[in-house]
């Protein structure tokens, strides 16, 4: 069975965006981005809500001179994408389809049928998956910044036990924490 992985870049106080919805403070440097590329390379399918998909669709046409960014764009383009949305009628990227409902049963079936790991993007959709016991791994990238308010990376009033698998400290102050989720 394929693992469902939730990765988030978050402030040390737990937010993925600030109170205004900005996340420019969370941009990884080249070393962190290269590390993320290594984690993302095996992903076979990305699961997104509409907002996260619209943000990530940038990578379909990204024209960045950085070799690390070019590598990430190639990784993203090679994977399948499923967008869960009631408002989105069509998508702008290949290898992408829209599903109306995110149901635990459908995700369990997808995990059973997949040979490569699945990634769930965005804290809103990830909250649903975490609360349904679908997420197998967490990859949290802590940014050495506190922003005070915004969109939480993890659901409030949610409890589970996490088993720490690895940590990695970067010279920039970023810290990667990989956890196995006990479901």
């Amino acid at each position: 069975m394929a693992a469902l992985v939730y990765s988030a870049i978050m402030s040390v106080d737990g937010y993925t965006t600030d109170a205004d919805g900005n996340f420019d403070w969370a941009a990884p440097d080249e070393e962190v981005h290269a590390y993320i590329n290594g984690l993302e390379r095996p992903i076979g399918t990305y699961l997104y809500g509409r907002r996260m998909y619209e943000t990530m669709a940038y990578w379909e046409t990204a024209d960045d001179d950085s070799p690390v960014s070019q590598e990430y764009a190639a990784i993203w383009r090679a994977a399948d994408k499923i967008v869960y949305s009631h408002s989105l009628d069509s998508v702008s990227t290949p290898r992408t389809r829209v599903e109306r409902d995110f149901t635990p049963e459908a995700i369990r079936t997808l995990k059973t049928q997949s040979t490569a790991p699945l990634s769930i993007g965005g804290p809103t959709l990830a909250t649903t998956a975490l609360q349904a016991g679908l997420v197998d791994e967490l990859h949290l990238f802590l940014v050495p910044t506190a922003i005070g308010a915004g969109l939480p990376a993890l659901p409030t009033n949610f409890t589970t036990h996490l088993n720490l698998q690895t940590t990695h400290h970067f010279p920039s102050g970023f810290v990667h924490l990989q956890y196995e989720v006990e479901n």
Side-chain angles (χ1 to χ4, degrees):
M1 181 180 304
L4 180 59
V5 179
Y6 171 44
S7 297
I9 297 176
M10 60 188 256
S11 62
V12 294
D13 52 349
Y15 300 102
T16 59
T17 64
D18 65 22
D20 296 322
N22 298 316
F23 54 89
D24 53 346
W25 51 268
D29 63 18
E30 292 284 310
E31 184 179 1
V32 174
H33 201 167
Y35 187 89
I36 291 170
N37 288 357
L39 294 174
E40 295 289 309
R41 196 170 289 108
I43 299 298
T45 305
Y46 290 103
L47 311 178
Y48 295 128
R50 180 192 52 81
R51 287 183 302 224
M52 181 57 82
Y53 168 71
E54 289 172 346
T55 299
M56 297 303 291
Y58 161 82
W59 294 104
E60 187 61 36
T61 58
D63 186 24
D64 191 316
D65 291 335
S66 161
V68 172
S69 292
Q70 290 174 3
E71 178 186 28
Y72 183 78
I75 292 167
W76 192 83
R77 290 177 194 139
D80 293 326
K81 282 74 98 178
I82 303 172
V83 183
Y84 296 90
S85 174
H86 290 280
S87 61
L88 193 63
D89 291 324
S90 62
V91 292
S92 61
T93 59
R95 302 185 67 141
T96 307
R97 73 177 194 262
V98 176
E99 296 285 339
R100 294 295 171 220
D101 297 308
F102 182 91
T103 64
E105 299 78 28
I107 301 307
R108 285 186 190 96
T109 299
L110 186 60
K111 288 173 66 171
T112 301
Q113 295 172 348
S114 297
T115 57
L118 310 166
S119 174
I120 190 156
T124 304
L125 193 60
T127 290
T128 303
L130 283 162
Q131 291 172 332
L134 298 169
V135 176
D136 301 295
E137 289 181 29
L138 289 177
H139 289 269
L140 303 176
F141 287 84
L142 302 180
V143 179
T145 301
I147 59 174
L151 182 61
L154 297 171
T156 56
N157 298 321
F158 172 71
T159 59
T160 191
H161 185 75
L162 305 173
N163 295 313
L164 184 63
Q165 301 297 301
T166 62
T167 63
H168 188 88
H169 304 267
F170 297 90
S172 62
F174 271 70
V175 176
H176 170 243
L177 302 168
Q178 177 185 352
Y179 293 100
E180 175 185 51
V181 180
E182 283 189 11
N183 289 317

